[in-house]
Amino acid sequence: MTDRYAVIGHPIEHSLSPRIHAAFARETGQALTYERILGDLEQFEEQVRAFFHQGGRGMNVTLPFKERAWDLVQERSPVAESAGAVNTLLPLPDGGLRGENTDGIGLVRDLRENHHFTFTGKQVLVLGAGGAARGILGPLLETGLDGLTIANRTVEKALALAEYFAAQGPVRSCGFEALAGERFDLILNATSAGLSGKVPQIPPCLNAGGWIYDLFYDCQEPTPFCRWGAAQGAAETIDGLGMLVEQAAESFFLWRGVRPSTRPVIAALRDS
Ligand code: ATR
């Protein structure tokens, strides 16, 4: 039987993951299937267990189930542990499940490998303190950056996150107003403001030659945050399509032990 993989989420019909993994499998000559599963808000855990019980070899988990997947697994990678969320599931030999989180690794790989961003010595600002922010902080703090600031509209949430990650690197937190007068080399948008066409209301704080990165993506047009970045004079404005493909590649590598090429897949998605 061909090895079976899937992505589970709710909604799921928009997911690009089947297309991405089909391209990886073609390129690396791996025989596998990868399907979409509409997650049931009540029965998510049972659906996952049934998938693996029926011989499934791996699963990606997307919104709104990443935290529930974290609770479900018997074993977690250190990155998944601190992310508080799991986006990749692997079966354990004893029948249990291992949870990984490849979102932050995918973000860092996109910036480094595809855009040649150097983190060493840089001041990085993360906007937002929800699940998306928490998922990227661990890998960001391992890059050798000089300082990481978490700013959130609700400052208490940023404080709590910074406290949680304090042992992992140079991290601090503040509200949006306190950013006035600060300067950052890279500003990442991990808020959900873009979903309603908005951008976080922050004072100008991008360094000359600084970059902005939106975790959200839009294949058709620049996201609101990318447009905001361009208006701020950002040297590069990048959306999260590359991160999406890189996090998928990391999952593929964990499952198959083979690293697929990502650039042709990013380019094909952008063109389509
Ligand atoms: P996710 O898991 O996608 O991160 P979340 O946990 O609901 O989603 O968090 C959404 C984040 O986007 C929060 O940091 C939220 O700020 P608050 O904590 O103050 O609610 C942020 N956010 C959403 N809309 C925003 C907006 N219009 N401006 C600024 N921040 C916004």
Side-chain angles (χ1 to χ4, degrees):
M1 201 177 80
T2 311
D3 290 349
R4 195 173 155 222
Y5 295 85
V7 58
I8 185 165
H10 187 118
I12 199 62
E13 63 278 6
H14 64 282
S15 172
L16 294 174
S17 295
R19 206 174 140 189
I20 295 170
H21 284 278
F24 290 166
R26 260 196 315 276
E27 191 236 342
T28 58
Q30 299 277 308
L32 57 86
T33 64
Y34 188 107
E35 68 206 81
R36 291 182 181 88
I37 297 178
L38 177 63
D40 185 297
L41 297 177
E42 306 288 322
Q43 313 271 322
F44 165 74
E45 288 77 9
E46 286 73 15
Q47 285 177 296
V48 171
R49 286 194 202 101
F51 178 82
F52 284 100
H53 191 67
Q54 290 156 14
R57 298 291 299 272
M59 240 184 178
N60 283 131
V61 181
T62 187
L63 300 179
F65 298 121
K66 292 184 189 185
E67 284 84 7
R68 278 168 71 174
W70 188 93
D71 276 331
L72 175 67
V73 298
Q74 285 69 45
E75 190 181 295
R76 300 179 194 111
S77 68
V79 170
E81 183 67 38
S82 64
V86 157
N87 77 338
T88 306
L89 296 168
L90 301 93
L92 289 167
D94 67 359
L97 290 173
R98 177 176 167 84
E100 305 261 0
N101 191 316
T102 63
D103 286 334
I105 296 162
L107 166 73
V108 170
R109 281 188 84 89
D110 188 37
L111 273 160
R112 271 195 178 138
E113 311 293 326
N114 299 330
H115 298 281
H116 309 293
F117 184 78
T118 310
F119 283 93
T120 316
K122 299 284 167 53
Q123 286 294 330
V124 177
L125 171 63
V126 172
L127 300 173
R134 186 167 173 175
I136 60 172
L137 292 175
L140 277 175
L141 285 168
E142 283 177 14
T143 58
L145 48 67
D146 206 39
L148 178 63
T149 302
I150 307 165
N152 196 44
R153 186 174 59 180
T154 312
V155 68
E156 293 78 20
K157 284 205 238 167
L159 289 171
L161 262 195
E163 207 170 302
Y164 182 85
F165 282 92
Q168 294 186 36
V171 59
R172 66 189 187 103
S173 62
C174 61
F176 288 165
E177 314 74 44
L179 294 170
E182 303 264 351
R183 286 289 174 267
F184 298 95
D185 304 300
L186 172 66
I187 305 180
L188 294 138
N189 177 35
T191 73
S192 53
L195 294 177
S196 43
K198 296 188 181 135
V199 293
Q201 297 299 301
I202 60 167
C205 56
L206 187 67
N207 237 340
W211 292 24
I212 71 100
Y213 193 108
D214 195 350
L215 268 62
F216 290 86
Y217 65 87
D218 189 330
C219 293
Q220 260 78 54
E221 55 178 12
T223 66
F225 191 70
C226 283
R227 286 202 298 273
W228 174 87
Q232 300 289 310
E236 296 277 350
T237 60
I238 307 165
D239 75 13
L241 187 68
M243 172 180 169
L244 175 78
V245 175
E246 293 295 342
Q247 61 80 27
E250 193 63 27
S251 298
F252 192 89
F253 177 71
L254 290 168
W255 292 328
R256 308 298 297 183
V258 184
R259 204 168 271 290
S261 312
T262 49
R263 285 190 195 205
V265 180
I266 298 170
L269 290 175
R270 191 72 74 189
D271 285 349
S272 64

